[in-house]
């Protein structure tokens, strides 16, 4: 069989395309039945035979049917679907036929079409801009034939004028519009538009413009369907396949869990699918794909126009030949390149004896409870769909043909099987102090996916002891994964918490780069007290939050598992048993002191907290003593500076007084007194300079000694 691949607008190398083009033996059998029973003639639509729904809101549709000779297949789509179809359509002729053009009723944008029309008509009926007056005023020069109640004329439109005329009763003035027409003989006629019965356009071009305007306006208003036509030329009957993707409601999942007396779960899953199209899905092959393949919409059906700048031609046009760089010669190309089983059955039999002694047939076992039916030896529990991975995606292939009428939804069974699980309770400290159940854990289930399927997130309803027990939300559960699911409040278990914080004694004290470091641990402890208030055993999972930069202490029991956000501790409670679970977390911290800034108060604290011993205390006392001596020298230097400044101020005052006293008789005596005092001050300034040098030398010596002591400081 020759395969003609004529039209492919999808990337077939993607996981979605692989799912779309894979046809299993079951589909081939069904296709063979289609070939023998449903030939397609010109103008008919290929029936839908396969639908794949994706969780990102896309549906893959596959149509199959028989064509004969030269066939024309019409496919009707909603306006909103055409862009997706043009982007993804795949057309195959599986015989000797040859696909012709794939055409559709495309049109230029209404704005582009109307831009070429030499007039426009407003939608309002105001006489100035709309209605007949508005149209005729834009058709100046057009030849028309006018028929009114007062006569008829043939000529060209000159204008539409506005006049004030008296009303019929003659009591008021009203505005009227008159069509002015000039005939070929030069006769000018005026017609009141209110009396005009008809106006016929005589120019072919004007009629065409008016019809084009009406068509463009209608296309801008309509949101009707478009028809894509696929033609195939050939001889004899052959199968034809058309596939494409369109937007569709996402498929949803819901689950049910039935717990038996031992808490073992029976798991049933349903997919909710919606057929919002205008065509029935009749006996189709349905697949459901979970994951998030990339999908987008691109406007392909509407012709696009690019803006081109208008370049004025210069008066003196001189065109020079252009020279282009040679190509590099580099060639560039782009290449595209199962679960368990289900159902419940019952049977009975009897031996056949003589007519007289035939015993009555044994009564079949009466199953009155759901959990009994699921655990009966005769029952077989099977999945209703097979599953397979598609790269990062996962596909459910429903094993039975599916029928969903147009604009209807359906629940499709995708799994029903016995699963591994355990009846548990889950406690997580409540953040709302006003929650009346903050001291109660949640009743739940530890469910393990023992199938080969991946279960999408969805609502889950739990039946326990043959009655409704509660509901939950289940996140995506892959094959082999386990998940805690809670669905009710556990009123038989009580949990209380005592919270304590403390600081442990210093674990390490050291000196680094002139700093005194004290390393210690801060502890945060929560003591969980669990009380079983019933006569049956309970398994409780305590979820303790993981805190960044904190770690569990060595004396804390090892958690059963650790998630990204929680430590999970498993506690088994016997009837009426009370269990205490201490969970201690530690965080390493450090206090840092600069050795050169230590005070006696700091040393007293270190001694009290037993951070240091007597030998270290003596070393620290030596540092403090050196720093105290340095501070004393600094104080003396400050006093010398103040004294020297005071002398300078006095001498400035003396100079000012001497200058003033030279003009008085007593000047000589006072000047002599000032000069004598100034001499004494100069002597003191010299002494201050010598004392400063001595103190500065001593300060430098002590600072060097302090720096050396800090460098050599060890603990």
């Amino acid at each position: 069989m020759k395969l003609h691949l004529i039209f492919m607008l999808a990337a077939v190398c993607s996981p979605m395309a692989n799912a779309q083009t894979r046809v299993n033996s079951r589909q081939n059998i069904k296709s063979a039945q289609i070939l023998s029973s449903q030939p397609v003639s010109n103008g008919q639509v290929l029936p839908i035979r396969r639908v794949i729904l994706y969780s990102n809101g896309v549906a893959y549709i596959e149509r199959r049917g028989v064509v004969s000779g030269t066939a024309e297949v019409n496919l009707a789509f909603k306006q909103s679907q055409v862009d997706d179809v043009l982007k993804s359509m795949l057309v195959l002729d599986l015989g000797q036929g040859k696909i012709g053009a794939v055409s559709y009723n495309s049109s230029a944008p209404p704005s582009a079409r109307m831009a070429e029309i030499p007039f426009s008509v407003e939608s309002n009926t105001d006489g100035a801009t709309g209605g007949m007056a508005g149209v005729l005023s834009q058709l100046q020069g057009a030849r028309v034939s006018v028929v009114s109640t007062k006569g008829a004329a043939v000529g060209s439109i000159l204008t539409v004028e506005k006049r004030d005329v008296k009303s019929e009763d003659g009591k008021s003035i009203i505005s009227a519009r008159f069509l002015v027409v000039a005939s070929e003989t030069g006769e000018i006629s005026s017609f009141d538009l209110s009396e005009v019965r008809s106006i016929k356009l005589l120019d072919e071009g004007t009629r065409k413009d008016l019809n084009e305007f009406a068509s463009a306006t209608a296309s801008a208003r309509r949101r009707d369907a478009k028809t894509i036509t696929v033609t195939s030329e050939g001889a004899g009957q052959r199968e034809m396949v058309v596939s494409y993707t369109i937007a569709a409601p996402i498929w949803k999942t819901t689950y049910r869990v039935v717990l038996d007396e031992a808490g073992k779960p029976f798991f049933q899953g349903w997919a909710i699918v919606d057929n919002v199209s205008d065509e029935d899905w009749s006996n189709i092959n349905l697949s459901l794909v979970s994951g998030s393949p990339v999908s987008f919409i691109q406007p392909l059906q509407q012709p696009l126009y690019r803006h081109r700048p208008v370049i004025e031609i210069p008066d003196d046009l001189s065109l020079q030949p252009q020279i282009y760089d040679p190509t590099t010669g580099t060639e560039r190309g782009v290449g595209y390149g199962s679960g368990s089983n289900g159902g419940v059955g019952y049977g009975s039999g009897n031996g056949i004896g003589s007519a007289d002694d035939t015993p009555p047939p044994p009564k079949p076992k009466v199953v009155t409870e759901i959990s009994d039916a699921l655990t009966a030896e005769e029952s077989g529990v099977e999945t209703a769909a097979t599953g397979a991975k598609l790269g990062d995606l996962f596909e459910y292939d429903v094993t039975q043909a599916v029928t969903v009428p147009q604009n209807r939804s359906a629940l499709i069974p995708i799994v029903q099987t016995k699963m591994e699980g355990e009846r548990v309770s889950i406690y997580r400290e409540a953040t709302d102090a006003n929650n009346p159940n903050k001291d109660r854990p949640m009743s739940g289930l530890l469910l393990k996916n023992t199938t080969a399927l991946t279960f999408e997130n969805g609502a889950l309803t739990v039946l326990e002891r043959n009655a409704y027990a509660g509901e939950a939300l289940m996140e995506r559960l892959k094959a082999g994964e386990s998940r805690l699911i809670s669905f009710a409040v556990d009123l038989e278990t009580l949990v209380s918490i005592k919270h304590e914080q403390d600081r442990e004694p210093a674990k390490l004290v050291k000196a680094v780069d002139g700093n005194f470091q004290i390393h210690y641990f801060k502890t945060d402890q929560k003591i969980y007290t669990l009380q079983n208030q019933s006569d049956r055993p309970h398994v409780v999972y305590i979820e303790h939050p993981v805190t960044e930069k904190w770690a569990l202490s060595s004396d804390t029991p090892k958690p059963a598992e650790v998630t990204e956000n929680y430590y999970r501790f498993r506690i088994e409670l016997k009837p009426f048993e009370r269990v205490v679970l201490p969970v201690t977390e530690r965080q390493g911290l450090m206090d840092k002191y600069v050795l050169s800034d230590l005070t006696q108060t700091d040393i007293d604290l270190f001694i009290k907290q037993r951070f240091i011993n007597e030998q270290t205390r003596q070393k620290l006392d030596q540092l403090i003593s050196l720093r105290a001596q340095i501070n004393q020298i600094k104080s003396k230097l400050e006093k010398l500076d103040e004294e020297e400044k005071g002398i300078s101020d006095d001498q400035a005052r003396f100079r000012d007084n001497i200058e003033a006293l030279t003009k008085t008789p007593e000047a000589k005596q006072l000047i002599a007194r000032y000069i004598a005092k100034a001499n004494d001050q100069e002597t003191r300034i010299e002494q201050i300079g010598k004392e400063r040098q001595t103190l500065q030398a001593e300060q430098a010596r002590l600072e060097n000694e302090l720096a050396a002591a800090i460098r050599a400081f060890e603990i």
Side-chain angles (χ1 to χ4, degrees), residues 633-643:
I633 292 176
K634 289 180 178 180
S635 178
K636 291 179 180 180
L637 289 173
E638 290 175 357
K639 290 180 179 180
L640 291 178
D641 292 339
E642 292 177 357
E643 183 180 358

Side-chain angles (χ1 to χ4, degrees), residues 537-644:
H538 279 63
V539 174
V540 182
Y541 279 90
I542 300 292
E543 288 200 328
H544 182 85
V546 174
T547 307
E548 187 178 0
K549 298 182 180 180
W550 289 74
L552 295 178
S553 63
S554 58
D555 57 349
T556 297
K558 185 178 179 180
E561 57 185 17
V562 180
T563 68
E564 183 179 357
N565 299 308
Y566 291 95
Y567 300 106
R568 198 169 280 162
F569 299 90
R570 177 187 171 93
I571 307 296
E572 296 184 5
L573 292 175
K574 298 177 182 178
F576 302 106
E577 184 181 17
R578 181 175 179 272
V579 173
V580 177
L581 172 67
V583 179
T584 304
E585 292 180 282
R586 306 169 75 205
Q587 182 185 29
L589 298 174
M590 180 189 72
D591 291 340
K592 182 172 68 173
Y593 301 84
V594 180
L595 285 172
S596 59
D597 295 338
L598 287 176
T599 64
Q600 190 61 49
T601 302
D602 295 331
I603 295 178
D604 293 341
L605 175 63
F606 298 162
I607 294 295
K608 182 178 180 181
Q609 297 291 338
R610 298 182 180 180
F611 294 160
I612 59 176
N613 55 21
E614 181 61 25
Q615 183 180 2
T616 303
R617 185 190 66 79
Q618 293 177 2
K619 292 181 179 180
L620 293 176
D621 285 342
Q622 180 184 0
L623 297 180
I624 293 177
S625 176
L626 289 173
R627 199 183 67 179
Q629 296 178 47
I630 293 172
N631 290 338
Q632 290 177 358
I633 292 176
K634 289 180 178 180
S635 178
K636 291 179 180 180
L637 289 173
E638 290 175 357
K639 290 180 179 180
L640 291 178
D641 292 339
E642 292 177 357
E643 183 180 358
E644 187 176 36

Side-chain angles (χ1 to χ4, degrees), residues 182-315:
S183 68
E184 294 181 355
T185 61
E187 182 181 357
I188 298 178
S189 304
S190 178
F191 297 91
D192 188 343
L193 289 180
S194 63
E195 299 175 351
V196 171
R197 294 294 175 260
S198 68
I199 299 177
K200 182 178 180 181
L201 301 176
L202 301 180
D203 295 336
E204 180 66 25
T206 304
R207 289 200 303 269
K208 183 177 179 181
D209 289 340
L210 192 61
N211 292 335
E212 179 66 16
F213 179 86
S215 175
T217 304
S219 65
R221 184 189 71 254
R222 289 195 305 265
R223 294 295 183 264
D224 54 0
K226 284 197 174 185
T227 300
I228 295 180
T229 302
V230 181
T231 59
S232 176
E233 298 179 359
Q237 290 190 349
R238 60 199 182 276
E239 187 176 13
M240 187 173 178
V241 180
V242 177
S243 66
Y244 49 85
T245 61
I246 58 175
I250 63 172
W251 62 278
K252 303 169 285 291
T253 51
T254 62
Y255 305 98
R256 296 93 171 99
V257 169
V258 181
L259 300 177
D260 59 17
E261 289 293 333
K264 299 302 179 181
F266 167 78
F267 190 82
Q268 188 178 75
W270 296 79
I272 301 176
V273 298
D274 306 286
N275 178 10
V276 297
S277 68
D278 296 329
E279 186 173 354
D280 293 342
W281 294 349
S282 181
N283 293 323
I284 64 168
N285 297 329
L286 178 65
S287 296
L288 311 171
V289 177
S290 65
S292 299
V294 176
S295 182
F296 55 87
I297 297 175
Q298 192 173 43
L300 298 176
Q301 61 175 308
Q302 190 177 67
L304 301 178
Y305 296 86
R306 290 191 180 276
H307 171 71
R308 296 185 298 162
V310 178
I311 306 298
E312 297 293 338
I313 299 177
D315 294 337

Side-chain angles (χ1 to χ4, degrees), residues 70-122:
T70 299
E72 184 179 278
V73 178
N74 294 325
L75 305 176
F77 297 99
K78 296 179 181 178
Q79 186 79 21
S80 59
Q81 298 174 331
V82 176
D83 286 326
D84 279 329
V85 173
L86 295 178
K87 176 166 56 70
S88 61
M89 178 178 282
L90 175 69
V91 180
L92 300 175
D93 190 313
L94 304 182
Q96 297 297 324
K98 181 179 180 181
I99 300 297
V102 178
S103 61
Y104 59 98
N105 52 327
S106 176
S107 61
S111 59
R113 295 172 59 186
M114 296 175 66
E116 301 296 327
I117 301 173
F119 62 86
S120 63
V121 181
E122 301 293 336

Side-chain angles (χ1 to χ4, degrees), residues 22 54 102 250 319 375 396 404 496 556 581 651 711 714:
R22 187 176 68 253
Y54 291 81
V102 178
I250 63 172
L319 298 177
T375 57
Y396 299 88
V404 183
S496 61
T556 297
L581 172 67
Q651 289 183 345
R711 287 193 300 270
E714 292 182 355

Side-chain angles (χ1 to χ4, degrees), residues 18-39:
N18 292 336
Q20 297 167 356
T21 57
R22 187 176 68 253
V23 180
N24 55 32
S25 60
R26 174 170 55 85
Q27 296 166 341
N28 289 336
I29 295 173
K30 186 169 292 185
S31 299
Q33 297 171 348
I34 297 169
L35 288 173
S36 62
S37 60
Q38 296 185 4

Side-chain angles (χ1 to χ4, degrees), residues 269-273 286 288 384 398 400 402-404 410-415:
W270 296 79
I272 301 176
V273 298
L286 178 65
L288 311 171
V398 180
Q400 300 295 326
V402 174
T403 296
V404 183
L411 276 170
I412 309 296
I414 57 175
V415 61

